[in-house]
Amino acid sequence: MILHDFPLSSASYRVRIVLNLKGLAYEKRNYVLRAGEQRSPEYLAVNPAGLVPALEVGGLRLGQSLAIIDYLDALHPKPRMIPADPIERARAMELTLTIACDIHPINNLRILQYLEHDLGQDKAAVDGWYRHWVEQGFATLEKLLPDTSFAGGDAPNIVDACLVPQMFNARRFKVDLTPFPRLTAMADRAGETPAFRNAAPPLV
């Protein structure tokens, strides 16, 4: 099992967490995104989107972190990342997609580079853009969180695997987390467990 990775990619970070939670061994191949290594012909042959992560298992080559997590859950169902119960599954995916669709895509590296290089925005404006969308998404999550130990329930699941990387990046961009006490506490609780700690990128 090969994970095509970049330590600071929150999408890759999600997959590393899930691989650790499931106790699966894998080989990491890292790409420096700011240097454009993910757009090399060799990597585009693995993932035509030119994004990380991508997972190779046997002859399968799969991109998109949530698709990878769903595949790993089907192949190695314990511990479950996506609940089997229809209501619990729907709630978990509501929280997950708030992060993976409403926050992350408009704040990832290629968007920030477009704002800077193509639209001529300075660092203060780019960082302000990042914080604005994180704060909006976190405000929604703070209201939706269940009364459980972790964001995903009584044990970490796909919600926590998405939340912890997003919280890591929120802190990198100096988002004011004061309005989100429950969200912060749940992310920190999950982040302190071995599977999450061992998936974390180096502090920057």
Side-chain angles (χ1 to χ4, degrees):
M1 190 177 294
I2 300 169
L3 178 66
H4 298 271
D5 188 27
F6 174 61
L8 289 176
S9 160
S10 56
S12 295
Y13 190 174
R14 298 168 191 165
V15 175
R16 296 195 304 268
I17 289 168
V18 170
L19 287 164
N20 289 349
L21 285 169
K22 292 181 177 293
L24 298 173
Y26 63 98
E27 173 190 341
K28 278 195 292 190
R29 294 187 184 170
N30 286 328
Y31 300 81
V32 180
L33 301 190
R34 287 192 178 277
E37 292 179 359
Q38 74 280 15
R39 294 189 292 274
S40 70
E42 293 78 15
Y43 184 64
L44 290 175
V46 174
N47 184 1
L51 300 171
V52 293
L55 187 73
E56 286 191 85
V57 184
L60 175 68
R61 292 175 170 180
L62 187 62
Q64 293 293 340
S65 61
L66 299 189
I68 293 169
I69 292 169
D70 184 59
Y71 169 76
L72 292 172
D73 227 26
L75 203 63
H76 305 279
K78 294 184 180 180
R80 286 198 69 89
M81 294 295 103
I82 304 172
D85 176 82
I87 294 175
E88 291 180 9
R89 179 186 181 92
R91 291 298 185 197
M93 293 312 297
E94 179 183 25
L95 292 163
T96 297
L97 294 173
T98 298
I99 299 167
C101 294
D102 293 345
I103 302 175
H104 174 253
I106 51 178
N107 278 331
N108 68 15
L109 179 63
R110 60 181 179 166
I111 300 300
L112 302 183
Q113 287 180 330
Y114 183 78
L115 288 169
E116 180 182 357
H117 300 147
D118 294 74
L119 299 184
Q121 300 299 305
D122 63 16
K123 185 176 188 303
V126 173
D127 288 355
W129 166 281
Y130 190 100
R131 287 191 291 267
H132 172 79
W133 297 113
V134 172
E135 288 163 2
Q136 281 209 355
F138 276 12
T140 299
L141 291 168
E142 184 76 9
K143 295 172 185 174
L144 291 175
L145 286 172
D147 293 322
T148 51
S149 297
F150 298 96
D154 294 326
N157 69 9
I158 191 171
V159 183
D160 304 275
C162 289
L163 173 60
V164 168
Q166 192 63 65
M167 185 65 72
F168 176 88
N169 282 333
R171 285 177 165 137
R172 284 179 60 213
F173 281 84
K174 297 180 172 55
V175 173
D176 179 10
L177 299 175
T178 307
F180 319 115
R182 295 177 65 230
L183 192 69
T184 304
M186 285 184 172
D188 289 349
R189 189 176 297 121
E192 290 166 1
T193 63
F196 284 74
R197 280 202 314 269
N198 293 335
L203 294 175
V204 292

